[in-house]
Amino acid sequence: MAPAAMTFASSLSDAQPVSYWLDDPGKPGALPALTGDEHCDLLVVGGGYSGLWTALLAKERDPGRDVVLIEGREVGWAASGRNGGFCAASLTHGLGNGLARWPDELATLEELGNRNLDAIEETVDKYSIDCDFERTGEIDVATEPHQLEELHQMYEEVRGLGFTGFELLDQDAVRAEVNSPTFLGGLWDRRGVAMLHPAKLAWGLKQACSDLGVRIYENTTGLELASSGNRTVVRTPYGRVFADRVALGTNVFPSLVKRVRAYTVPVYDYALMTEPLSTEQLAAIGWKRRQGLGDSANQFHYFRITADHRILWGGYDAIYPYGGKVTAEMDHRPETYLKLAGHFFECFPQLEGLRFSHAWGGAIDTCSRFSAFFGTAHGGKVAYAAGYTGLGVGATRFGADVMLDLLSGAQTERTQLQMVRSKPLPFPPEPVAWAGIGLTKWALARADANGGRRNAWLRTMDKLGLGFDS
């Protein structure tokens, strides 16, 4: 191993192979599993953000509604407890994706997204959820000249659309915010993103749901969904739940509505967390306003500073397992940790000697349009939302509202959206999916190394509205 690689490897020697967020002494104990039969007005399947928001909003809309939530493991253990803690207003996986897919609806989608983020902040305050919520915004940084040009173009587009709250930063300005020799400029969305502790948000929502009367069963997997007269029944390992309506928030895990499964693939994302920075190390990087950051490459990094002065550094590698299987073995990938450590010290050479305390991975439900899709089954008695592609911390609350709207049969501003009424293109079966995703990843890496120029394959994918991201 080369000397530099040895240095990067030594920074990982004490890293615990578990999500930093979940490795918390305040983690609540698991609730008992369901045994026997349950009956309810609404069954929510899945105890991540999607399911938790659905259960909470259902009780807020109708306090008398009888709601049950089942979770296959423990609330927040999967993507909701392993992400970077970026809670974005965007419902479209960023303005660029929204402009490309729903230009006529973008103003409405941005308004709904901002209202959704405001409502999350209000919920955190209303239920006293201690999750380190900070409305700091996010800076997209350019580390290559072509990325700087793209940020300038995006800034002009958002100004032309009348969107406010964005600030273009030159090299000196961005380095005054966060000091990295790799930064050439940035675009700061001042209000559209909050930072938070993702697991504490999930645990706080769990407590809020329970306080409102939601009956939560953990270690209770939904195995099969079927009609039973005018009701729907979901079979679990030790029992059954009979419900008038069912909301599926299972996201990356195989949907109980089988026809939905082709619309998503699991993509594994990985992250590192440093030990707490000293006063001198903090002074060397600045970061006093604690924004989230992400670079503008196709193979991008996301990074932020925590309440206890650690740096989370994640992204870059997006690993698709052949056949789309979600397995515990994929949760850890030392070769990716080593790569990420090297990238970290390239970004912050002044932090040489800093060590990582945690290293982990997890699966994201990716769809070909990068943002959530919605639908119903079983004659409108079952609703689903999936495909958030890595921006689900905030958007899942909007998705919960959509599912509840669909289950009620009401026409709302949300259900009339083309984004809600349309579906992404499904992924092809194997081995075509594996080959196509592999070719796309190769082409994206080539574009990053070639001044952002997209080859014929990527241009064709763009025309078809297909993509691959995490």
Side-chain angles (χ1 to χ4, degrees):
M1 187 179 289
M6 285 290 291
T7 300
F8 304 149
S10 65
S11 71
L12 293 161
S13 62
D14 297 322
Q16 297 299 305
V18 63
S19 166
Y20 166 77
W21 310 116
L22 296 173
D23 188 22
D24 190 293
K27 179 182 177 182
L31 295 172
L34 171 67
T35 57
D37 287 350
E38 260 281 21
H39 298 264
C40 60
D41 299 326
L42 173 68
L43 170 64
V44 179
V45 182
Y49 296 137
S50 189
L52 291 164
W53 281 119
T54 304
L56 182 68
L57 292 174
K59 292 295 284 187
E60 288 186 339
R61 289 188 182 195
D62 179 3
R65 181 162 19 193
D66 189 21
V67 180
V68 168
L69 183 150
I70 61 172
E71 160 56 38
R73 293 277 294 273
E74 295 182 32
V75 161
W77 79 276
S80 298
R82 302 175 190 230
N83 61 80
F86 288 63
C87 186
S90 177
L91 306 175
T92 61
H93 208 274
L95 281 168
N97 193 49
L99 275 169
R101 299 183 187 278
W102 303 287
D104 296 336
E105 286 187 346
L106 188 61
T108 300
L109 288 165
E110 285 296 297
E111 180 187 353
L112 288 169
N114 287 322
R115 280 160 40 189
N116 184 65
L117 182 55
D118 288 343
I120 292 172
E121 186 170 11
E122 291 163 7
T123 299
V124 167
D125 181 63
K126 176 181 179 180
Y127 294 102
S128 301
I129 298 175
D130 180 15
C131 63
D132 304 331
F133 189 98
E134 299 179 274
R135 197 80 173 257
T136 59
E138 179 181 8
I139 303 175
D140 290 330
V141 297
T143 58
E144 297 289 344
H146 74 271
Q147 297 169 11
L148 193 59
E149 294 173 12
E150 292 166 0
L151 290 183
H152 277 266
Q153 292 171 4
M154 180 55 66
Y155 178 64
E156 293 302 324
E157 288 196 52
V158 298
R159 287 184 62 192
L161 291 166
F163 298 150
T164 59
F166 292 85
E167 182 179 349
L168 192 65
L169 306 176
D170 63 17
Q171 185 176 75
D172 290 339
V174 72
R175 291 185 184 180
E177 294 297 329
V178 183
N179 183 20
S180 168
T182 67
F183 294 172
L184 303 180
L187 182 60
W188 185 3
D189 179 356
R190 284 183 166 270
R191 290 284 297 167
V193 183
M195 298 292 105
L196 52 76
H197 187 303
K200 286 184 177 180
L201 174 62
W203 300 333
L205 291 173
K206 173 185 176 181
Q207 185 62 53
C209 287
S210 182
D211 290 345
L212 291 179
V214 177
R215 299 193 300 287
I216 299 173
Y217 297 97
E218 294 182 285
N219 293 306
T220 302
T221 304
L223 299 175
E224 184 181 25
L225 181 152
S227 292
S228 177
N230 62 352
R231 309 193 87 196
T232 302
V233 60
V234 172
R235 184 171 60 85
T236 71
Y238 307 129
R240 298 174 298 177
V241 184
F242 294 83
D244 294 332
R245 297 289 185 269
V246 177
L248 300 178
T250 50
N251 295 16
V252 76
F253 299 99
S255 177
L256 293 179
V257 177
K258 292 182 180 179
R259 68 172 182 268
V260 176
R261 296 179 184 179
Y263 290 105
T264 63
V265 294
V267 175
Y268 278 83
D269 181 60
Y270 299 90
L272 306 176
M273 185 71 85
T274 73
E275 62 189 357
L277 274 65
S278 67
T279 301
E280 293 76 15
Q281 289 168 328
L282 286 168
I285 59 171
W287 218 339
K288 293 180 180 178
R289 290 193 261 201
R290 306 175 58 79
Q291 308 95 327
L293 280 88
D295 64 51
S296 302
N298 292 310
Q299 291 184 289
F300 63 92
H301 305 87
Y302 55 88
F303 40 117
R304 49 79 57 98
I305 197 161
T306 67
D308 59 349
H309 308 305
R310 301 168 184 263
I311 296 175
L312 179 144
W313 180 265
Y316 193 79
D317 272 350
I319 307 300
Y320 168 69
Y322 184 86
K325 293 182 179 179
V326 179
T327 62
E329 289 76 18
M330 290 292 296
D331 286 346
H332 299 289
R333 199 165 190 267
E335 59 266 44
T336 293
Y337 300 152
L338 188 61
K339 190 183 299 181
L340 286 173
H343 296 169
F344 176 87
F345 290 111
E346 289 174 14
C347 183
F348 296 119
Q350 65 270 49
L351 297 181
E352 182 180 355
L354 191 66
R355 301 173 72 82
F356 297 101
S357 62
H358 296 76
W360 71 92
I364 294 169
D365 60 322
T366 294
C367 75
S368 62
R369 74 181 192 187
F370 310 150
S371 55
F373 61 92
F374 314 90
T376 60
H378 289 255
K381 292 183 291 186
V382 176
Y384 57 83
Y388 290 95
T389 317
L391 256 70
V393 178
T396 44
R397 185 190 177 280
F398 173 81
D401 262 331
V402 171
M403 284 196 286
L404 292 172
D405 288 349
L406 293 172
L407 289 172
S408 73
Q411 290 193 355
T412 68
E413 184 179 24
R414 288 179 288 264
T415 61
Q416 294 303 298
L417 291 167
Q418 179 63 27
M419 176 197 177
V420 170
R421 292 186 290 114
S422 63
K423 294 282 195 301
L425 289 171
F427 289 94
E430 299 292 13
V432 180
W434 169 261
I437 290 171
L439 180 56
T440 302
K441 288 178 59 180
W442 171 84
L444 290 170
R446 286 289 302 272
D448 283 338
N450 198 27
R453 289 185 288 275
R454 298 172 77 81
N455 64 14
W457 174 259
L458 292 180
R459 293 195 300 271
T460 300
M461 297 281 282
D462 293 339
K463 290 179 181 178
L464 293 173
L466 283 166
F468 176 77
D469 200 3
S470 70

